[in-house]
């Protein structure tokens, strides 16, 4: 319905739910969340089999679902901008390069600025997008972390940190094993309301088995850990 400005999904708010909703609607609180699932078109069952449970057939946001309300979407009574820290931006957006055979921790700091007139929270979600990997089937996009920046006053800003490693981007093989797959990836940091930051990532080296499907043996292990801050 194009006349609707917004829809509030309150789930099961409990006995204090009415008070919380009233405070949120009238601006006494501004701590909105993000959609934890995909809302499909009403005619979706007319074009898709309800007994086909293969998620790679455009099921969920991870495999390109045609959504009315996508996973992670959410509005606020304020508007926020996202940016990387000046220190991170100064490296001229060079791709982060990680080895598949070691574990290197890299920290991204995302700055959220409140451009609105009300104090509020913003939820920032971190996704990885496999762009060129050897696995024939893989998600287009996958959430690997999220953080909430709380009580940001109007005109003020707050920072949140995301620490990534090679195990943040595990992919499943056709056999169900979770592996570190070498290739090109894109990282995005999103607020669910249109603000998106991105950074390129490369994982180099052989494919490494990290978690075998139950009943299979772990043939390769990771031994070295390094820590990097950016």
């Amino acid at each position: 319905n194009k006349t609707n400005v917004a829809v509030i999904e309150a789930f099961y708010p409990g006995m204090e739910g009415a008070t919380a909703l009233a405070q949120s609607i009238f601006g006494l609180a501004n701590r909105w969340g993000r959609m934890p699932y995909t809302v499909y078109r009403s005619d979706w069952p007319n074009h898709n089999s309800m007994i086909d449970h293969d998620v790679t057939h455009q099921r969920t946001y991870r495999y390109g679902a045609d959504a009315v309300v996508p996973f992670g979407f959410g509005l606020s009574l304020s508007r926020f901008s996202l940016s990387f820290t000046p220190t991170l931006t100064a490296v001229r957006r060079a791709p982060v390069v990680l080895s598949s055979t070691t574990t290197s921790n890299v920290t991204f700091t995302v700055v959220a600025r409140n451009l609105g007139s009300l104090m509020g929270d913003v939820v920032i979600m971190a996704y990885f997008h496999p762009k060129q990997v050897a696995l024939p089937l893989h998600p287009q996009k996958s959430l690997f972390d999220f953080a909430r920046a709380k009580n940001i006053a109007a005109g003020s800003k707050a920072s949140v940190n995301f620490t990534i490693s090679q195990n943040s981007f595990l992919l499943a093989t056709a056999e169900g094993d979770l592996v570190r797959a070498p290739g090109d990836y894109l990282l995005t940091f999103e607020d669910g309301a249109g603000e998106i930051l991105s950074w390129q990532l490369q994982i180099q080296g052989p494919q490494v088995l990290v978690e075998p499907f139950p009943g299979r043996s772990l043939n390769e292990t990771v031994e070295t850990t390094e820590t990097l801050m950016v």
Side-chain angles (χ1 to χ4, degrees):
N1 189 335
K2 295 182 180 180
T3 63
N4 291 336
V5 176
V7 175
I8 296 175
E9 172 59 272
F11 296 101
Y12 301 99
M15 63 184 299
E16 294 296 332
T19 300
L21 282 171
Q23 290 176 340
S24 299
I25 292 171
F26 293 104
L28 299 180
N30 191 17
R31 300 184 178 92
W32 302 94
R34 298 296 180 264
M35 283 295 292
Y37 56 81
T38 300
V39 178
Y40 297 90
R41 296 174 54 91
S42 60
D43 63 350
W44 190 88
N46 298 335
H47 307 285
N48 298 272
S49 171
M50 296 303 292
I51 60 174
D52 179 5
H53 297 280
D54 188 338
V55 295
T56 65
H57 294 168
Q58 289 190 305
R59 305 300 199 266
T60 78
Y61 80 97
R62 300 179 74 238
Y63 291 93
D66 182 15
V68 175
V69 182
F71 173 91
F73 179 80
L75 300 177
S76 170
L77 298 180
S78 294
R79 186 167 67 88
F80 296 88
S81 67
L82 302 182
S83 62
F84 291 121
T85 59
T87 301
L88 186 57
T89 305
V91 302
R92 297 183 182 275
R93 306 184 72 81
V96 171
V97 179
L98 303 177
S99 169
S100 64
T101 58
T102 62
T103 300
S104 303
N105 296 323
V106 181
T107 298
F108 285 86
T109 300
V110 176
V111 179
R113 182 181 293 276
N114 187 344
L115 304 178
S117 58
L118 293 175
M119 175 184 291
D121 294 2
V122 61
V123 177
I124 303 171
M125 297 160 288
Y127 296 90
F128 74 92
H129 309 242
K131 292 299 183 181
Q132 187 172 359
V133 296
L135 297 177
L137 285 177
H138 56 77
Q140 300 176 17
K141 175 181 182 179
S142 189
L143 179 76
F144 68 89
D145 200 358
F146 65 91
R148 177 183 289 269
K150 299 180 179 180
N151 298 323
I152 307 176
S156 298
K157 60 184 179 181
S159 299
V160 294
N161 293 325
F162 294 94
T163 298
I164 67 171
S165 73
Q166 289 85 338
N167 286 351
S168 301
F169 318 115
L170 299 182
L171 295 173
T173 66
E175 294 76 25
D177 298 331
L178 294 180
V179 300
R180 295 176 177 177
D184 297 329
Y185 297 78
L186 183 70
L187 305 181
T188 59
F189 303 91
E190 311 180 14
D191 72 345
E195 281 288 302
I196 301 175
L197 300 176
S198 63
W199 205 278
Q200 292 182 336
L201 169 78
Q202 294 179 350
I203 296 180
Q204 299 179 351
Q207 181 170 292
V208 174
L209 176 63
V210 176
E211 184 178 331
F213 189 78
R216 297 168 64 88
S217 61
L218 181 62
N219 298 319
E220 298 180 70
T221 58
V222 179
E223 300 177 353
T224 306
T225 300
E226 301 172 353
T227 299
L228 303 174
M229 293 292 292
V230 295

